[in-house]
Amino acid sequence: MIKIFISFATITTTCFFAPIQIQAQIQDQQPIPSLKETFKNEFLIGTALNTSQILEKDVTANKLITQQFNAATPENIMKAEIIHPTWNQFDFTLADKLVEYGRKNNIKINGHTLIWHSQLPRFVRQIKSPDSLAQFFADHITTIASHYDGKVLSWDVVNEALEENGSLRKSIFLQQLGEGYIVEAFRLAQKAAPHTELYYNDYNIEQPKKRAGAIEIIKKIKAAGVRIDGVGIQGHWRASKIPLAEIEQSILDFSALGVKVMFTELDLSVLPNPWDSDNADVSATAGNSKGKDPYPNGLPDSMQTILAKGYEDLFRLFLKHKDKISRITFWGVNDGQSWLNNFPIRGRTNYPTLFDRTYTAKPAFYAVIATKK
Ligand code: XIL
């Protein structure tokens, strides 16, 4: 008797709730176009992934990532302070998870980054002798690049080695190892990771002086008989001031050197910049957000349009040079994740990506998709 009652209750519950469940599923699955499908014959479409996304903590985020992207760059977890926290300790836990996530979802991983002056572990910043630094340098590159050889598509071998005027940045590496350190980094990476593409990555290298510096770096690496496969233009720009002419010239100049061109950290800020510049130096901060956070409750339509137009102009240019560009990576899945909520001023509300804080596609997303029509 009891048994019958229970099964009756189950049937009633199922029949009663089924239409609602199906309705919710349909709403949930409202198909939007896929970036990776739309541009599958042109370029890989990537995103930066943070720890919670790599660990698949958020179902909505995960669904969007696997639907939209076929490339990913770890936002932080392959940086030296996390992957090499003390002199003789490497921690591959999260990076191995990222590699597995990529394998499972057909997402190509770009390792970011082997040699960078920022986000270094404390022990490196305390090194005082060039010999010790050289030992860290070789050990770091060799251990990490060999661990992931054949498992990641590529590495940003050296990140941000240039000043705005095109000279070499006075980083700990330049100061202690001398200017040959960049070629040496690529030489070590080539040896440790023969099946992995090797890139130089930087911001503002579309600008003439810094671009000349990047060209010199690429030429020097090649002249030394060492492999470099590509150059990454980060692409942290302002939506209303995208340097389209310089970007186009850079695509031409870099590809003329025989390397792949990529846009590796694309985001378009809509907030006022304290220096009226595109500086992406993570150490540059500018006070608090008081009076400098104009859109805390949502982006006005007029700005939404500027953002969409910025992305549209860029993608039209990328498509024009599709034979020279191999990947476009957005620096963040959605607006809530973006580092630009805290850079260069902490605690603001920025809107630099194609998806809003609820992971809904913005007008900029549809403008990008429409460039293919
Ligand atoms: C940023 C991350 O997005 C932040 O989460 C972190 O706090 C600082 O670094 N250029 C780069 C990226 O090459 O690694 C930086 O990422 C953004 C600028």
PDB file of all heavy atoms in Angstrom, residues 272-304:
ATOM      1  N   PRO A 272      37.533  55.922 -17.330  1.00  0.00           N
ATOM      2  CA  PRO A 272      38.606  56.913 -17.502  1.00  0.00           C
ATOM      3  C   PRO A 272      39.934  56.372 -16.987  1.00  0.00           C
ATOM      4  O   PRO A 272      39.968  55.678 -15.976  1.00  0.00           O
ATOM      5  CB  PRO A 272      38.140  58.106 -16.653  1.00  0.00           C
ATOM      6  CG  PRO A 272      37.001  57.619 -15.826  1.00  0.00           C
ATOM      7  CD  PRO A 272      36.445  56.396 -16.473  1.00  0.00           C
ATOM      8  N   ASN A 273      41.003  56.676 -17.729  1.00  0.00           N
ATOM      9  CA  ASN A 273      42.333  56.219 -17.319  1.00  0.00           C
ATOM     10  C   ASN A 273      43.081  57.402 -16.695  1.00  0.00           C
ATOM     11  O   ASN A 273      43.140  58.476 -17.290  1.00  0.00           O
ATOM     12  CB  ASN A 273      43.090  55.682 -18.539  1.00  0.00           C
ATOM     13  CG  ASN A 273      44.476  55.202 -18.179  1.00  0.00           C
ATOM     14  OD1 ASN A 273      45.386  56.000 -17.963  1.00  0.00           O
ATOM     15  ND2 ASN A 273      44.642  53.895 -18.104  1.00  0.00           N
ATOM     16  N   PRO A 274      43.655  57.198 -15.499  1.00  0.00           N
ATOM     17  CA  PRO A 274      44.290  58.323 -14.805  1.00  0.00           C
ATOM     18  C   PRO A 274      45.431  58.965 -15.568  1.00  0.00           C
ATOM     19  O   PRO A 274      45.754  60.135 -15.345  1.00  0.00           O
ATOM     20  CB  PRO A 274      44.784  57.705 -13.492  1.00  0.00           C
ATOM     21  CG  PRO A 274      44.719  56.223 -13.674  1.00  0.00           C
ATOM     22  CD  PRO A 274      43.697  55.947 -14.728  1.00  0.00           C
ATOM     23  N   TRP A 275      46.066  58.234 -16.469  1.00  0.00           N
ATOM     24  CA  TRP A 275      47.198  58.800 -17.220  1.00  0.00           C
ATOM     25  C   TRP A 275      46.859  59.029 -18.691  1.00  0.00           C
ATOM     26  O   TRP A 275      47.748  59.272 -19.502  1.00  0.00           O
ATOM     27  CB  TRP A 275      48.423  57.882 -17.124  1.00  0.00           C
ATOM     28  CG  TRP A 275      48.767  57.517 -15.733  1.00  0.00           C
ATOM     29  CD1 TRP A 275      49.342  58.325 -14.782  1.00  0.00           C
ATOM     30  CD2 TRP A 275      48.532  56.256 -15.093  1.00  0.00           C
ATOM     31  NE1 TRP A 275      49.473  57.637 -13.613  1.00  0.00           N
ATOM     32  CE2 TRP A 275      48.995  56.372 -13.761  1.00  0.00           C
ATOM     33  CE3 TRP A 275      47.986  55.052 -15.499  1.00  0.00           C
ATOM     34  CZ2 TRP A 275      48.913  55.328 -12.847  1.00  0.00           C
ATOM     35  CZ3 TRP A 275      47.901  53.999 -14.594  1.00  0.00           C
ATOM     36  CH2 TRP A 275      48.366  54.148 -13.288  1.00  0.00           C
ATOM     37  N   ASP A 276      45.585  58.832 -19.052  1.00  0.00           N
ATOM     38  CA  ASP A 276      45.184  58.938 -20.447  1.00  0.00           C
ATOM     39  C   ASP A 276      46.103  58.082 -21.330  1.00  0.00           C
ATOM     40  O   ASP A 276      46.639  58.532 -22.342  1.00  0.00           O
ATOM     41  CB  ASP A 276      45.220  60.411 -20.899  1.00  0.00           C
ATOM     42  CG  ASP A 276      44.548  60.581 -22.261  1.00  0.00           C
ATOM     43  OD1 ASP A 276      43.685  59.751 -22.593  1.00  0.00           O
ATOM     44  OD2 ASP A 276      44.916  61.517 -22.988  1.00  0.00           O
ATOM     45  N   SER A 277      46.331  56.812 -20.890  1.00  0.00           N
ATOM     46  CA  SER A 277      47.243  55.953 -21.649  1.00  0.00           C
ATOM     47  C   SER A 277      46.751  54.512 -21.633  1.00  0.00           C
ATOM     48  O   SER A 277      45.783  54.173 -20.967  1.00  0.00           O
ATOM     49  CB  SER A 277      48.642  56.002 -21.032  1.00  0.00           C
ATOM     50  OG  SER A 277      48.727  55.087 -19.958  1.00  0.00           O
ATOM     51  N   ASP A 278      47.471  53.650 -22.376  1.00  0.00           N
ATOM     52  CA  ASP A 278      47.154  52.222 -22.399  1.00  0.00           C
ATOM     53  C   ASP A 278      48.171  51.426 -21.591  1.00  0.00           C
ATOM     54  O   ASP A 278      48.467  50.290 -21.899  1.00  0.00           O
ATOM     55  CB  ASP A 278      47.157  51.696 -23.849  1.00  0.00           C
ATOM     56  CG  ASP A 278      45.985  52.223 -24.648  1.00  0.00           C
ATOM     57  OD1 ASP A 278      44.898  52.382 -24.071  1.00  0.00           O
ATOM     58  OD2 ASP A 278      46.158  52.484 -25.853  1.00  0.00           O
ATOM     59  N   ASN A 279      48.734  52.032 -20.559  1.00  0.00           N
ATOM     60  CA  ASN A 279      49.740  51.337 -19.752  1.00  0.00           C
ATOM     61  C   ASN A 279      49.128  50.097 -19.097  1.00  0.00           C
ATOM     62  O   ASN A 279      48.104  50.188 -18.435  1.00  0.00           O
ATOM     63  CB  ASN A 279      50.229  52.304 -18.662  1.00  0.00           C
ATOM     64  CG  ASN A 279      51.377  51.715 -17.867  1.00  0.00           C
ATOM     65  OD1 ASN A 279      51.786  50.582 -18.117  1.00  0.00           O
ATOM     66  ND2 ASN A 279      51.893  52.481 -16.920  1.00  0.00           N
ATOM     67  N   ALA A 280      49.760  48.942 -19.306  1.00  0.00           N
ATOM     68  CA  ALA A 280      49.249  47.717 -18.672  1.00  0.00           C
ATOM     69  C   ALA A 280      50.256  47.157 -17.671  1.00  0.00           C
ATOM     70  O   ALA A 280      50.249  45.975 -17.363  1.00  0.00           O
ATOM     71  CB  ALA A 280      48.911  46.674 -19.728  1.00  0.00           C
ATOM     72  N   ASP A 281      51.134  48.021 -17.169  1.00  0.00           N
ATOM     73  CA  ASP A 281      52.133  47.581 -16.191  1.00  0.00           C
ATOM     74  C   ASP A 281      51.418  47.284 -14.877  1.00  0.00           C
ATOM     75  O   ASP A 281      50.889  48.192 -14.228  1.00  0.00           O
ATOM     76  CB  ASP A 281      53.153  48.711 -16.002  1.00  0.00           C
ATOM     77  CG  ASP A 281      54.312  48.284 -15.130  1.00  0.00           C
ATOM     78  OD1 ASP A 281      54.136  47.355 -14.308  1.00  0.00           O
ATOM     79  OD2 ASP A 281      55.389  48.879 -15.280  1.00  0.00           O
ATOM     80  N   VAL A 282      51.393  45.998 -14.493  1.00  0.00           N
ATOM     81  CA  VAL A 282      50.564  45.602 -13.342  1.00  0.00           C
ATOM     82  C   VAL A 282      50.974  46.295 -12.044  1.00  0.00           C
ATOM     83  O   VAL A 282      50.211  46.319 -11.089  1.00  0.00           O
ATOM     84  CB  VAL A 282      50.543  44.063 -13.131  1.00  0.00           C
ATOM     85  CG1 VAL A 282      49.886  43.367 -14.313  1.00  0.00           C
ATOM     86  CG2 VAL A 282      51.921  43.511 -12.870  1.00  0.00           C
ATOM     87  N   SER A 283      52.184  46.876 -12.004  1.00  0.00           N
ATOM     88  CA  SER A 283      52.604  47.538 -10.764  1.00  0.00           C
ATOM     89  C   SER A 283      52.140  49.002 -10.719  1.00  0.00           C
ATOM     90  O   SER A 283      52.298  49.684  -9.713  1.00  0.00           O
ATOM     91  CB  SER A 283      54.122  47.462 -10.619  1.00  0.00           C
ATOM     92  OG  SER A 283      54.712  48.211 -11.647  1.00  0.00           O
ATOM     93  N   ALA A 284      51.565  49.491 -11.813  1.00  0.00           N
ATOM     94  CA  ALA A 284      51.141  50.894 -11.848  1.00  0.00           C
ATOM     95  C   ALA A 284      49.739  51.032 -11.253  1.00  0.00           C
ATOM     96  O   ALA A 284      48.766  50.572 -11.833  1.00  0.00           O
ATOM     97  CB  ALA A 284      51.145  51.392 -13.293  1.00  0.00           C
ATOM     98  N   THR A 285      49.653  51.657 -10.082  1.00  0.00           N
ATOM     99  CA  THR A 285      48.333  51.823  -9.471  1.00  0.00           C
ATOM    100  C   THR A 285      48.093  53.300  -9.211  1.00  0.00           C
ATOM    101  O   THR A 285      49.032  54.076  -9.084  1.00  0.00           O
ATOM    102  CB  THR A 285      48.231  51.038  -8.152  1.00  0.00           C
ATOM    103  OG1 THR A 285      49.389  51.328  -7.377  1.00  0.00           O
ATOM    104  CG2 THR A 285      48.147  49.549  -8.394  1.00  0.00           C
ATOM    105  N   ALA A 286      46.821  53.659  -9.099  1.00  0.00           N
ATOM    106  CA  ALA A 286      46.518  55.086  -8.993  1.00  0.00           C
ATOM    107  C   ALA A 286      45.393  55.355  -8.002  1.00  0.00           C
ATOM    108  O   ALA A 286      44.243  55.521  -8.387  1.00  0.00           O
ATOM    109  CB  ALA A 286      46.143  55.625 -10.366  1.00  0.00           C
ATOM    110  N   GLY A 287      45.712  55.351  -6.748  1.00  0.00           N
ATOM    111  CA  GLY A 287      44.776  55.791  -5.716  1.00  0.00           C
ATOM    112  C   GLY A 287      43.491  54.995  -5.632  1.00  0.00           C
ATOM    113  O   GLY A 287      43.401  53.873  -6.118  1.00  0.00           O
ATOM    114  N   ASN A 288      42.473  55.595  -5.006  1.00  0.00           N
ATOM    115  CA  ASN A 288      41.224  54.852  -4.828  1.00  0.00           C
ATOM    116  C   ASN A 288      40.174  55.284  -5.850  1.00  0.00           C
ATOM    117  O   ASN A 288      40.362  56.199  -6.634  1.00  0.00           O
ATOM    118  CB  ASN A 288      40.717  54.980  -3.388  1.00  0.00           C
ATOM    119  CG  ASN A 288      40.304  56.391  -3.068  1.00  0.00           C
ATOM    120  OD1 ASN A 288      39.717  57.066  -3.906  1.00  0.00           O
ATOM    121  ND2 ASN A 288      40.627  56.849  -1.872  1.00  0.00           N
ATOM    122  N   SER A 289      39.038  54.560  -5.801  1.00  0.00           N
ATOM    123  CA  SER A 289      38.059  54.706  -6.881  1.00  0.00           C
ATOM    124  C   SER A 289      37.080  55.871  -6.672  1.00  0.00           C
ATOM    125  O   SER A 289      36.235  56.117  -7.515  1.00  0.00           O
ATOM    126  CB  SER A 289      37.262  53.404  -6.992  1.00  0.00           C
ATOM    127  OG  SER A 289      36.556  53.183  -5.798  1.00  0.00           O
ATOM    128  N   LYS A 290      37.216  56.575  -5.548  1.00  0.00           N
ATOM    129  CA  LYS A 290      36.242  57.620  -5.226  1.00  0.00           C
ATOM    130  C   LYS A 290      36.119  58.645  -6.372  1.00  0.00           C
ATOM    131  O   LYS A 290      37.101  59.235  -6.794  1.00  0.00           O
ATOM    132  CB  LYS A 290      36.677  58.332  -3.936  1.00  0.00           C
ATOM    133  CG  LYS A 290      35.531  58.909  -3.171  1.00  0.00           C
ATOM    134  CD  LYS A 290      35.847  59.068  -1.689  1.00  0.00           C
ATOM    135  CE  LYS A 290      34.738  59.855  -1.048  1.00  0.00           C
ATOM    136  NZ  LYS A 290      35.060  61.268  -0.840  1.00  0.00           N
ATOM    137  N   GLY A 291      34.908  58.791  -6.876  1.00  0.00           N
ATOM    138  CA  GLY A 291      34.666  59.751  -7.954  1.00  0.00           C
ATOM    139  C   GLY A 291      35.190  59.298  -9.308  1.00  0.00           C
ATOM    140  O   GLY A 291      35.144  60.041 -10.282  1.00  0.00           O
ATOM    141  N   LYS A 292      35.726  58.078  -9.378  1.00  0.00           N
ATOM    142  CA  LYS A 292      36.329  57.631 -10.648  1.00  0.00           C
ATOM    143  C   LYS A 292      35.682  56.350 -11.160  1.00  0.00           C
ATOM    144  O   LYS A 292      36.275  55.592 -11.912  1.00  0.00           O
ATOM    145  CB  LYS A 292      37.824  57.388 -10.462  1.00  0.00           C
ATOM    146  CG  LYS A 292      38.590  58.653 -10.130  1.00  0.00           C
ATOM    147  CD  LYS A 292      40.034  58.309  -9.813  1.00  0.00           C
ATOM    148  CE  LYS A 292      40.721  59.467  -9.093  1.00  0.00           C
ATOM    149  NZ  LYS A 292      41.640  59.015  -8.059  1.00  0.00           N
ATOM    150  N   ASP A 293      34.462  56.076 -10.662  1.00  0.00           N
ATOM    151  CA  ASP A 293      33.772  54.839 -11.043  1.00  0.00           C
ATOM    152  C   ASP A 293      32.399  55.215 -11.602  1.00  0.00           C
ATOM    153  O   ASP A 293      31.380  55.088 -10.927  1.00  0.00           O
ATOM    154  CB  ASP A 293      33.635  53.960  -9.783  1.00  0.00           C
ATOM    155  CG  ASP A 293      33.128  52.568 -10.103  1.00  0.00           C
ATOM    156  OD1 ASP A 293      33.276  52.138 -11.268  1.00  0.00           O
ATOM    157  OD2 ASP A 293      32.592  51.919  -9.194  1.00  0.00           O
ATOM    158  N   PRO A 294      32.362  55.675 -12.858  1.00  0.00           N
ATOM    159  CA  PRO A 294      31.128  56.296 -13.372  1.00  0.00           C
ATOM    160  C   PRO A 294      29.934  55.367 -13.582  1.00  0.00           C
ATOM    161  O   PRO A 294      28.810  55.832 -13.618  1.00  0.00           O
ATOM    162  CB  PRO A 294      31.571  56.908 -14.703  1.00  0.00           C
ATOM    163  CG  PRO A 294      32.829  56.201 -15.074  1.00  0.00           C
ATOM    164  CD  PRO A 294      33.475  55.777 -13.807  1.00  0.00           C
ATOM    165  N   TYR A 295      30.160  54.067 -13.726  1.00  0.00           N
ATOM    166  CA  TYR A 295      29.026  53.179 -14.058  1.00  0.00           C
ATOM    167  C   TYR A 295      28.878  52.007 -13.087  1.00  0.00           C
ATOM    168  O   TYR A 295      28.867  50.843 -13.503  1.00  0.00           O
ATOM    169  CB  TYR A 295      29.182  52.632 -15.488  1.00  0.00           C
ATOM    170  CG  TYR A 295      29.652  53.645 -16.504  1.00  0.00           C
ATOM    171  CD1 TYR A 295      30.866  53.481 -17.158  1.00  0.00           C
ATOM    172  CD2 TYR A 295      28.873  54.768 -16.807  1.00  0.00           C
ATOM    173  CE1 TYR A 295      31.308  54.415 -18.089  1.00  0.00           C
ATOM    174  CE2 TYR A 295      29.314  55.700 -17.733  1.00  0.00           C
ATOM    175  CZ  TYR A 295      30.533  55.523 -18.370  1.00  0.00           C
ATOM    176  OH  TYR A 295      30.969  56.445 -19.282  1.00  0.00           O
ATOM    177  N   PRO A 296      28.710  52.295 -11.784  1.00  0.00           N
ATOM    178  CA  PRO A 296      28.654  51.175 -10.832  1.00  0.00           C
ATOM    179  C   PRO A 296      27.415  50.305 -11.007  1.00  0.00           C
ATOM    180  O   PRO A 296      27.419  49.143 -10.632  1.00  0.00           O
ATOM    181  CB  PRO A 296      28.655  51.862  -9.460  1.00  0.00           C
ATOM    182  CG  PRO A 296      28.158  53.247  -9.728  1.00  0.00           C
ATOM    183  CD  PRO A 296      28.578  53.594 -11.121  1.00  0.00           C
ATOM    184  N   ASN A 297      26.349  50.849 -11.606  1.00  0.00           N
ATOM    185  CA  ASN A 297      25.093  50.088 -11.682  1.00  0.00           C
ATOM    186  C   ASN A 297      24.729  49.620 -13.087  1.00  0.00           C
ATOM    187  O   ASN A 297      23.592  49.251 -13.339  1.00  0.00           O
ATOM    188  CB  ASN A 297      23.942  50.923 -11.113  1.00  0.00           C
ATOM    189  CG  ASN A 297      24.235  51.366  -9.701  1.00  0.00           C
ATOM    190  OD1 ASN A 297      24.688  50.549  -8.898  1.00  0.00           O
ATOM    191  ND2 ASN A 297      24.051  52.641  -9.413  1.00  0.00           N
ATOM    192  N   GLY A 298      25.659  49.701 -14.003  1.00  0.00           N
ATOM    193  CA  GLY A 298      25.349  49.233 -15.356  1.00  0.00           C
ATOM    194  C   GLY A 298      25.919  50.194 -16.378  1.00  0.00           C
ATOM    195  O   GLY A 298      26.100  51.381 -16.095  1.00  0.00           O
ATOM    196  N   LEU A 299      26.171  49.660 -17.577  1.00  0.00           N
ATOM    197  CA  LEU A 299      26.778  50.474 -18.630  1.00  0.00           C
ATOM    198  C   LEU A 299      25.680  51.141 -19.458  1.00  0.00           C
ATOM    199  O   LEU A 299      24.798  50.455 -19.974  1.00  0.00           O
ATOM    200  CB  LEU A 299      27.645  49.568 -19.525  1.00  0.00           C
ATOM    201  CG  LEU A 299      28.635  50.253 -20.452  1.00  0.00           C
ATOM    202  CD1 LEU A 299      29.643  51.082 -19.663  1.00  0.00           C
ATOM    203  CD2 LEU A 299      29.355  49.222 -21.307  1.00  0.00           C
ATOM    204  N   PRO A 300      25.708  52.470 -19.592  1.00  0.00           N
ATOM    205  CA  PRO A 300      24.680  53.126 -20.412  1.00  0.00           C
ATOM    206  C   PRO A 300      24.757  52.672 -21.877  1.00  0.00           C
ATOM    207  O   PRO A 300      25.832  52.285 -22.344  1.00  0.00           O
ATOM    208  CB  PRO A 300      25.016  54.618 -20.299  1.00  0.00           C
ATOM    209  CG  PRO A 300      26.191  54.747 -19.430  1.00  0.00           C
ATOM    210  CD  PRO A 300      26.680  53.398 -19.028  1.00  0.00           C
ATOM    211  N   ASP A 301      23.615  52.737 -22.559  1.00  0.00           N
ATOM    212  CA  ASP A 301      23.559  52.294 -23.956  1.00  0.00           C
ATOM    213  C   ASP A 301      24.615  52.971 -24.823  1.00  0.00           C
ATOM    214  O   ASP A 301      25.207  52.348 -25.702  1.00  0.00           O
ATOM    215  CB  ASP A 301      22.177  52.588 -24.549  1.00  0.00           C
ATOM    216  CG  ASP A 301      21.139  51.619 -23.999  1.00  0.00           C
ATOM    217  OD1 ASP A 301      21.542  50.649 -23.311  1.00  0.00           O
ATOM    218  OD2 ASP A 301      19.936  51.838 -24.241  1.00  0.00           O
ATOM    219  N   SER A 302      24.836  54.285 -24.558  1.00  0.00           N
ATOM    220  CA  SER A 302      25.791  55.012 -25.406  1.00  0.00           C
ATOM    221  C   SER A 302      27.183  54.381 -25.305  1.00  0.00           C
ATOM    222  O   SER A 302      27.904  54.254 -26.301  1.00  0.00           O
ATOM    223  CB  SER A 302      25.846  56.480 -24.985  1.00  0.00           C
ATOM    224  OG  SER A 302      26.198  56.566 -23.616  1.00  0.00           O
ATOM    225  N   MET A 303      27.564  53.949 -24.096  1.00  0.00           N
ATOM    226  CA  MET A 303      28.883  53.316 -23.916  1.00  0.00           C
ATOM    227  C   MET A 303      28.892  51.895 -24.470  1.00  0.00           C
ATOM    228  O   MET A 303      29.887  51.423 -25.012  1.00  0.00           O
ATOM    229  CB  MET A 303      29.274  53.285 -22.435  1.00  0.00           C
ATOM    230  CG  MET A 303      29.603  54.631 -21.835  1.00  0.00           C
ATOM    231  SD  MET A 303      30.885  55.517 -22.761  1.00  0.00           S
ATOM    232  CE  MET A 303      32.277  54.428 -22.552  1.00  0.00           C
ATOM    233  N   GLN A 304      27.749  51.226 -24.307  1.00  0.00           N
ATOM    234  CA  GLN A 304      27.609  49.874 -24.856  1.00  0.00           C
ATOM    235  C   GLN A 304      27.870  49.917 -26.374  1.00  0.00           C
ATOM    236  O   GLN A 304      28.516  49.034 -26.934  1.00  0.00           O
ATOM    237  CB  GLN A 304      26.163  49.431 -24.573  1.00  0.00           C
ATOM    238  CG  GLN A 304      25.906  47.963 -24.440  1.00  0.00           C
ATOM    239  CD  GLN A 304      26.512  47.298 -23.221  1.00  0.00           C
ATOM    240  OE1 GLN A 304      27.610  46.774 -23.329  1.00  0.00           O
ATOM    241  NE2 GLN A 304      25.818  47.277 -22.106  1.00  0.00           N
TER     242      GLN A 304
END
